[in-house]
Structure formats: structure tokens, C-alpha cells
Amino acid sequence: MNEENIDGTNGCSKVRTGTQNEAALLALMEKTGYNMVQENGQRKFGGPPPGWEGPPPPRGCEVFVGKIPRDMYEDELVPVFERAGKIYEFRLMMEFSGENRGYAFVMYTTKEEAQLAIRILNNYEIRPGKIIGVCVSLDNCRLFIGAIPKEKKKEEILDEMKKVTEGVVDVIVYPSATDKTKNRGFAFVEYESHRAAAMARRKLIPGTFQLWGHTIQVDWADPEKEVDEETMQRVKVLYVRNLMISTTEETIKAEFNKFKPGAVERVKKLRDYAFVHFFNREDAVAAMSVMNGKCIDGASIEVTLAKPVNKENTWRQHLNGQISPNSENLIVFANKEESHPKTLGKPPTLPARLNGQHSPSPLEIERCTYPLFPGTKLTPISMYSLKSNHFNSAVMHLDYYCNKNNWAPPEYYLYSATSQDGKVLLVYKVVIPAIANGSQSYFMPDKLCTTLEDAKELAAQFTLLHLDREHNLFSLELYRRIWRK
């Protein structure tokens, strides 16, 4: 524990010594009967709680808590989160200094308690002027494996992954958009638990591990978004994948209309997948059962219900491999699979609410165009007179942020590298002159891009995320993604 910490209870600020911290935690343990242990950079309270019998709570019972004051500990946090229900386990991430790392994971005994915690404690003012964020936490059991030889079949990849890692449950492989006899050069490996996936990632991630003589790429796969049942019951759009590139929207519409003429409202096709809109949900569900596994133009298609997605601040999601700033999601749909291979190519998603929890901000600017009529009065303005929610690009956000702090504009320095297959890869180093003499003189992401625009956008996003640690710029969702378990 730190020798001194600030205790903000009841809005007061007073010095709390390390001995007082220890006494407060011991009092909490005595009162609740929970055990507490610190290991691997986290302090675990409970897990299981006293008198617990049976397996741990199922998936969906855990929430992520972000933006916790660094000098706040379990004796203050646990009573707050007990308001939503019985805590199975509270994990507070810790620094070597004794401060917490600003975030925690709280597992309740039921999904209903976890959902209640999100409803009543998200954006809760835990201390005067200190707002925490609470959202659902999902254990990621899936790894992305890249640079796989394209001629390898699913069975070969599955056998190989079982040889080199433990706990493999399944492998998901997608055929190439142009040659259905080959894979796309990547696969998703499903493990029996988050721990098994983490251990596999630790073994494979150094970059020197090879499969079939190829150095593979390993990272966490972006987890699928869980959508509440009520929202899914209203979906009347099907996601159809594994189409031939040559297959037209007219062909798809005709095929899906065969089981009931006139049931399809419209079709939107992008490369080798499409969204089929129906007039009625009942027809969509019936068509899904009939058409899944059918052949269109010689390709066996997969058909599922499309999942709703949140449109809020889509550029922020790009850093974690979800979608690109110029994604189709900004107009109609999210192109989850093609925009970044780390995202599992399950049903791309419709613009709605994310997990039924986070609706777009009231200040969100609508991404669309309006006609400019002759005679419309135009007023010259500076971009810096706008609010930050008028910007969708991270590059523009960073420039805006520097201006608002009376800093000189950010400076971008371009570097290149060559991939194993000879591609030129790009990365920008960002220097903020106003803070260049501080603890961090520049910012550079740990990923390379194939286009100049993506490299600059990624560098700006990376810089903004690091500035956020000091200046609290962005949303809980972005904060949660930075601190993956």
C-alpha cells in the first residue's frame, strides 16, 4: 500500500496512511467473511464467496468497471457494487506502487445482478467529480491466428493447434472470396476457457513460433457482441456469407424469394457476403432455415440473423480491429469481416444499440448529407469553433485537442517496413511539441498499416488513447478495450 492515500468519503479529503488502508481492508474481510489475495497484478476479493457451492457463475455475470480513482480500494468499492446484488468475486487491478490501475472486474452470482449493476452504476459519481463507468465484461476464449498457408484445410489447422497448445475446442476457417478451395490466410481458434486462450497466446505471441514453416501472427480475436433477446426478436434482416464475388444482388433476391414470392424487400451485397431485408420477421426466420447451407452459383452459403450494433464514435473502434473509419457501418451496415480479419466473420451488424446497453450520445452528429439549395446562406467558421462530436476522424480529434490546449499542432513522421510477403507497411510516429520534453517524447502504435491514411489514423488514435490516461477524454467502451484482461 502507499504510505498516503486520499480518502474522499462523504466528499472530504483526508490523508489515509498505508496502515489505515490495511485496517480498512481487514475490517471489510471480517465483516463480509470474504477472503482476499493479491496475485499477478490483481487483488481478488472472494471467488468464491463464503458458503458457495457448485461451479462459478455463468458467462455474462461479470461487469467491467473503469475510471476508478487510483486511491480508492475495496473497502469503498465493494459496498457500492453490493447494491446491485451478491458479489461472487471482485478483482481490482493493482500497480506495484500500491495504487490501483483505475479499473476492476466484478462478477455477480446472476446475469440479472450484473445487468442491474450496469443500469444503476454506469456513470455513477463515486466521489465528487469522479464518474465511473460500468459495462458488460466477456471472457475472450478465441485467438486470431494469421499468416496461415492458404492451402491448409480446417482439419489440418485444428490438428496442428491441438499439438502446440492445450484446451483447443474448435477452429473456424473461412474460404477465400476468390477461390473457395483455399482459406483466407487466417483462422480463429476457440479454447475451453479464457485462461487456456491466454496461455496459448503467451506461448505463441513472441513472433518466432512457426506453423508449417511460416511465422504466424497471434492476437486476441475481437469478441462477438452479445445482443439481448428482445432486440434480436425484432430483427428481420439476414446475413448471408460465403457467396461468390460474381453473384449479383438480383440473383440473391430471386433465390430468397423462391420459398415465398415477394417476401424480400431488398438486398445489399458487399464482396462475398450480403444483407437480405425482409418485409416481415417471420419470413426472415423461415428463409434462414430453408436457405442455410444451400448453393448459389456453386457456393454453399451460411445464413444467420444480422445483429444490431452501436453507431457511436465508430472511429474509436478501429484501433481494436472492429471496423474502419470509412466502414459501411457509417451508412447502413458494419462490414465486420472484411475491414479487419481479427474480427470473427459471424453476422455483421445493423446500426442500433450495442448489447442493449449503450445508446448513441444525444450529442452524436448524424452522418449524412443534405441538399445545398441555391441561395442558402453560408457562414465562414473555424473548425475549432465546433464541438468535438462534430469530428469522426482521430486525426481531426487530435488536432482539435491540441488547439484547445493552446498547443502547437501534432507532428507526424512516417516510417516503413516490409512484410514477409513483400508488402510495404507503414507507421507514423506522433510528436506533440508541447509535451515532447515530458515523460513521453513521442507516440507510435505497435501495428503497421498498408495504406497511408490508415497509418495516420491509427497513430492519432494511439496518441489520443495515451493522452486520455491523463486527461480523461473518451468513453468507457474505449477505456475497457485498452485494458483487456
Side-chain angles (χ1 to χ4, degrees), residues 64-268:
F64 170 85
V65 186
K67 302 186 178 180
I68 299 172
R70 297 296 183 101
D71 54 3
M72 180 174 279
Y73 302 102
E74 292 87 348
D75 58 300
E76 291 184 76
L77 293 166
V78 167
V80 172
F81 284 89
E82 282 181 329
R83 299 175 191 174
K86 184 177 179 63
I87 294 175
Y88 176 85
E89 180 181 77
F90 189 104
R91 294 187 292 125
L92 183 63
M93 304 300 115
M94 302 296 294
E95 300 279 13
F96 287 115
S97 64
E99 286 189 326
N100 76 64
R101 296 177 65 188
Y103 68 103
F105 297 91
V106 186
M107 181 178 290
Y108 289 92
T109 57
T110 68
K111 293 181 180 180
E112 291 73 22
E113 291 170 334
Q115 291 300 317
L116 179 60
I118 293 170
R119 287 199 300 273
I120 68 175
L121 296 176
N122 186 36
N123 295 322
Y124 175 76
E125 188 174 18
I126 200 160
R127 280 183 181 171
K130 300 295 183 181
I131 307 297
I132 60 171
V134 182
C135 64
V136 68
S137 170
L138 296 176
D139 282 340
N140 199 348
C141 301
R142 185 173 289 150
L143 294 182
F144 162 81
I145 310 294
I148 291 176
K150 293 187 176 182
E151 68 275 6
K152 296 298 178 182
K153 305 299 182 186
K154 174 179 177 175
E155 294 74 19
E156 296 177 90
I157 300 171
L158 179 60
D159 289 343
E160 194 68 18
M161 293 308 301
K162 285 184 174 180
K163 290 177 184 177
V164 298
T165 60
E166 297 181 359
V168 176
V169 174
D170 192 19
V171 168
I172 302 166
V173 182
Y174 294 116
S176 168
T178 55
D179 185 349
K180 299 301 181 183
T181 65
K182 296 182 179 180
N183 69 63
R184 298 194 177 194
F186 62 89
F188 298 94
V189 183
E190 184 80 21
Y191 288 86
E192 62 187 14
S193 66
H194 173 75
R195 176 175 175 79
M199 295 300 291
R201 179 175 178 268
R202 182 178 299 179
K203 179 178 180 180
L204 301 175
I205 201 152
T208 57
F209 200 92
Q210 293 191 340
L211 292 178
W212 303 289
H214 293 254
T215 300
I216 58 172
Q217 302 166 2
V218 182
D219 206 345
W220 289 109
D222 290 329
E224 294 180 73
K225 300 295 184 297
E226 289 194 353
V227 183
D228 63 275
E229 190 64 27
E230 182 182 352
T231 300
M232 288 303 297
Q233 288 296 327
R234 297 193 296 268
V235 174
K236 54 183 180 179
V237 181
L238 297 181
Y239 167 61
V240 184
R241 67 174 313 278
N242 201 33
L243 292 161
M244 299 295 291
I245 289 182
S246 58
T247 299
T248 65
E249 292 178 352
E250 290 73 21
T251 298
I252 298 169
K253 185 173 184 178
E255 290 291 331
F256 276 82
N257 266 329
K258 281 183 179 179
F259 90 102
K260 184 177 179 180
V264 177
E265 178 185 4
R266 59 190 172 92
V267 174
K268 176 65 175 178

Side-chain angles (χ1 to χ4, degrees), residues 318 324-326 428 449-459:
H318 177 53
S324 62
N326 57 352
Y428 271 102
C449 299
T450 56
T451 69
L452 194 67
E453 294 83 359
D454 285 349
K456 191 168 186 179
E457 184 74 4
L458 182 62

Side-chain angles (χ1 to χ4, degrees), residues 365-370:
I365 299 300
E366 185 181 10
R367 296 292 305 280
C368 60
T369 60
Y370 292 84

Side-chain angles (χ1 to χ4, degrees), residues 189-453:
V189 183
E190 184 80 21
Y191 288 86
E192 62 187 14
S193 66
H194 173 75
R195 176 175 175 79
M199 295 300 291
R201 179 175 178 268
R202 182 178 299 179
K203 179 178 180 180
L204 301 175
I205 201 152
T208 57
F209 200 92
Q210 293 191 340
L211 292 178
W212 303 289
H214 293 254
T215 300
I216 58 172
Q217 302 166 2
V218 182
D219 206 345
W220 289 109
D222 290 329
E224 294 180 73
K225 300 295 184 297
E226 289 194 353
V227 183
D228 63 275
E229 190 64 27
E230 182 182 352
T231 300
M232 288 303 297
Q233 288 296 327
R234 297 193 296 268
V235 174
K236 54 183 180 179
V237 181
L238 297 181
Y239 167 61
V240 184
R241 67 174 313 278
N242 201 33
L243 292 161
M244 299 295 291
I245 289 182
S246 58
T247 299
T248 65
E249 292 178 352
E250 290 73 21
T251 298
I252 298 169
K253 185 173 184 178
E255 290 291 331
F256 276 82
N257 266 329
K258 281 183 179 179
F259 90 102
K260 184 177 179 180
V264 177
E265 178 185 4
R266 59 190 172 92
V267 174
K268 176 65 175 178
K269 181 174 183 285
L270 302 99
R271 283 181 62 80
D272 63 338
Y273 66 95
F275 295 92
V276 182
H277 297 248
F278 286 79
F279 289 104
N280 300 307
R281 173 180 166 78
E282 294 74 18
D283 293 338
V285 174
M288 177 174 63
S289 299
V290 172
M291 295 299 294
N292 187 39
K294 296 288 186 181
C295 284
I296 297 181
D297 291 343
S300 178
I301 62 172
E302 297 177 19
V303 185
T304 55
L305 286 171
K307 291 184 179 180
V309 72
N310 180 22
K311 292 193 296 182
E312 181 182 3
N313 300 323
T314 44
W315 70 264
R316 296 178 183 175
Q317 301 172 8
H318 177 53
L319 181 62
N320 298 285
Q322 274 189 287
I323 52 179
S324 62
N326 57 352
S327 166
E328 183 72 13
N329 178 64
L330 299 178
I331 307 171
V332 184
F333 301 109
N335 174 358
K336 293 187 68 176
E337 182 179 347
E338 293 300 330
S339 61
H340 197 294
K342 273 178 58 184
T343 306
L344 180 63
K346 291 291 184 181
T349 47
L350 301 171
R353 298 194 309 161
L354 174 60
N355 299 336
Q357 298 299 331
H358 302 290
S359 58
S361 162
L363 297 177
E364 181 183 355
I365 299 300
E366 185 181 10
R367 296 292 305 280
C368 60
T369 60
Y370 292 84
L372 178 60
F373 296 111
T376 300
K377 183 181 178 181
L378 300 176
T379 305
I381 64 170
S382 166
M383 62 170 275
Y384 302 115
S385 67
L386 300 172
K387 294 185 180 297
S388 63
N389 60 301
H390 284 86
F391 306 115
N392 190 66
S393 160
V395 174
M396 296 300 293
H397 268 277
L398 182 56
D399 188 79
Y400 177 87
Y401 178 72
C402 289
N403 180 269
K404 287 297 182 183
N405 283 278
N406 295 314
W407 295 347
E411 298 173 359
Y412 293 85
Y413 298 90
L414 183 63
Y415 297 86
S416 70
T418 304
S419 68
Q420 293 179 344
D421 56 0
K423 289 182 181 177
V424 175
L425 303 177
L426 305 170
V427 65
Y428 271 102
K429 178 175 76 175
V430 181
V431 175
I432 309 294
I435 60 174
N437 294 324
S439 59
Q440 184 155 3
S441 58
Y442 68 89
F443 304 91
M444 181 182 287
D446 60 357
K447 291 182 174 61
L448 297 143
C449 299
T450 56
T451 69
L452 194 67
E453 294 83 359

